Amino acid sequence: CTSSDPCMEFSTCLEGVCTGGAPVVCEDGPCDTRSCDSDTGICEVVETAPNGSACSADDPCDTPGTCDEGVCYGESPCDEASP
């Protein structure tokens, strides 16, 4: 069954009523916090880290960086030929 709350997954029918389920888990970015919007079911940014906050990008070549307007900026000491 499908719950009326788009932020719930894996609901089950119990005596003709859609119940239970698990909340949608939104993955935070390195400089933001995300939450599921119960009107759309889409994960949206609800808070950004203050500018200058330390962050770590997903790229293993990037050095620790800083947040600026919700984006993590780091320097990449790797050259393109490095594995």
Side-chain angles (χ1 to χ4, degrees):
C1 64
T2 303
S3 169
S4 61
D5 183 348
C7 291
M8 295 297 287
E9 301 179 300
F10 313 114
S11 300
T12 57
C13 287
L14 180 64
E15 298 178 8
V17 178
C18 194
T19 61
V24 170
V25 176
C26 298
E27 187 174 325
D28 295 337
C31 293
D32 63 40
T33 303
R34 299 170 190 223
S35 181
C36 185
D37 181 313
S38 61
D39 290 329
T40 64
I42 297 172
C43 292
E44 297 182 347
V45 173
V46 293
E47 183 178 16
T48 56
N51 290 344
S53 297
C55 61
S56 178
D58 291 333
D59 186 340
C61 281
D62 282 349
T63 59
T66 56
C67 296
D68 185 17
E69 300 299 320
V71 178
C72 183
Y73 293 98
E75 293 183 26
S76 182
C78 300
D79 63 34
E80 295 299 319
S82 297

